[in-house]
Amino acid sequence: MAPSGDLMGAAEDLADQFLRVTKRYLPHLAHLCLISTFLEDGIRMWFQWNEQRDYINMSWGSGIILATLFVLINMSGQLVGCVLVLARKFVPYACFGLFGIIFMQTVAYSILWDLKFLMRNLALGGGLLLLLAESRSEGKSMFAGVPTVDDISPRQYMQLGGRLLLVLMFMTLLHFELSAFTIFQDIFGMALIILVAIGFKTKLAALTLVIWLFVINLVQNAFWNIPTYRPLHDFLKYDFFQTMSVIGGLLLVVALGPGGVSMDEHKKKW
């Protein structure tokens, strides 16, 4: 075997060993990272209640009562949904509730016309799809009686959809700057996320990308070093938690595996 093959095999063995050691804790960590964007947004709404209410009132002319009701539903929906996901109770209902929050925010904050924020919201939906797929692996009643094609269940299509939507979120993290490191960072990350999307060497690619993004996130989005009164603080905080959600989605891919609709699965049949 060629040295590159030996290196790849050693890396896969190392990834498998890591998964064996962390398999009990990895899903919980993945859930926390994945819903961190919702958790942070819900907590922020609690502390910025008046500003959020006034923004909705001014944007839509809805009146104080409806604006207050919107902020209340938005905040409580996110916080309650996050608690349910972390407690692993009623996860499908929590995911559908968070899907509803994404839709509400897309309309209320005119995200539909901002491509970058729309992609991020769609990608958050991809993470929720992965959560739904995981919950179906624990209880499959939702798909009872649903026909499958070539032993591929709807759950596996959900895993595929979640992986593909994660690509959208990763693309919003690209910088497209003309420095040598940034170009390397974008190409390296894009190559790995494409491997995750098509399901080739999925666990190794996802785990490598998790480590890479975690280090880059701590270095580039260190919002805690910026005073809170500066706008840069909020921008970096937003990017930090969005990146954590990408990491959570990738960790869930690592924990769940690529599913039946993937090159890794088809290689086993070949």
Side-chain angles (χ1 to χ4, degrees):
M1 185 180 292
S4 59
D6 291 337
L7 186 61
M8 183 65 70
E12 289 182 316
D13 289 343
L14 191 62
D16 288 338
Q17 185 177 354
F18 171 81
L19 291 176
R20 282 194 295 271
V21 172
T22 61
K23 65 180 180 181
R24 291 181 57 187
Y25 312 104
L26 200 59
H28 299 289
L29 181 60
H31 296 163
L32 178 60
C33 292
L34 188 57
I35 55 94
S36 62
T37 297
F38 296 107
L39 194 59
E40 187 274 333
D41 196 43
I43 293 171
R44 181 175 57 83
M45 285 195 166
W46 173 266
F47 288 105
Q48 296 181 359
W49 178 278
N50 292 333
E51 293 93 327
Q52 295 292 325
R53 180 199 60 200
D54 293 343
Y55 174 82
I56 294 298
N57 185 27
M58 290 175 61
S59 299
W60 293 91
S62 58
I64 293 296
I65 294 177
L66 286 179
T68 301
L69 186 61
F70 172 84
V71 176
L72 178 63
I73 292 173
N74 211 337
M75 180 190 72
S76 58
Q78 290 187 90
L79 294 179
V80 171
C82 290
V83 170
L84 290 177
V85 167
L86 292 176
R88 306 188 84 161
K89 302 292 185 182
F90 308 108
V91 173
Y93 300 105
C95 289
F96 289 131
L98 292 173
F99 275 125
I101 295 296
I102 290 175
F103 177 76
M104 282 177 58
Q105 291 188 351
T106 300
V107 174
Y109 295 108
S110 301
I111 289 173
L112 199 58
W113 316 117
D114 188 317
L115 182 60
K116 184 172 183 178
F117 284 98
L118 179 63
M119 287 171 64
R120 289 190 174 191
N121 273 15
L122 287 173
L124 282 176
L128 294 176
L129 267 182
L130 290 172
L131 277 176
L132 273 176
E134 183 198 36
S135 71
R136 290 306 92 208
S137 69
E138 296 170 353
K140 301 179 183 176
S141 59
M142 181 179 176
F143 296 126
V146 177
T148 62
V149 180
D150 296 331
D151 296 325
I152 298 175
S153 68
R155 167 180 169 258
Q156 292 171 330
Y157 283 113
M158 289 165 66
Q159 286 179 261
L160 172 64
R163 294 201 319 269
L164 293 176
L165 287 173
L166 278 177
V167 177
L168 287 181
M169 183 179 280
F170 182 82
M171 288 176 65
T172 66
L173 302 179
L174 300 177
H175 294 285
F176 300 111
E177 297 172 1
L178 293 179
S179 70
F181 178 75
T182 303
I183 293 172
F184 166 76
Q185 176 184 331
D186 288 349
I187 293 174
F188 178 71
M190 203 64 204
L192 288 175
I193 201 70
I194 288 172
L195 290 178
V196 171
I198 64 177
F200 182 70
K201 304 288 184 185
T202 314
K203 292 185 178 181
L204 178 60
L207 197 56
T208 304
L209 196 51
V210 163
I211 296 170
W212 176 260
L213 285 178
F214 183 74
V215 173
I216 293 296
N217 202 26
L218 289 178
V219 174
Q220 293 186 348
N221 296 323
F223 65 89
W224 50 87
N225 292 331
I226 308 297
T228 54
Y229 62 82
R230 292 182 57 188
L232 182 61
H233 175 91
D234 290 334
F235 282 116
L236 290 181
K237 181 192 281 189
Y238 183 82
D239 280 347
F240 179 87
F241 283 103
Q242 287 286 332
T243 305
M244 290 305 295
S245 289
V246 177
I247 289 173
L250 290 168
L251 283 175
L252 212 50
V253 169
V254 172
L256 288 176
V261 191
S262 65
M263 290 186 67
D264 285 344
E265 192 64 29
H266 285 291
K267 278 198 310 180
K268 295 176 185 177
K269 297 177 183 178
W270 297 340

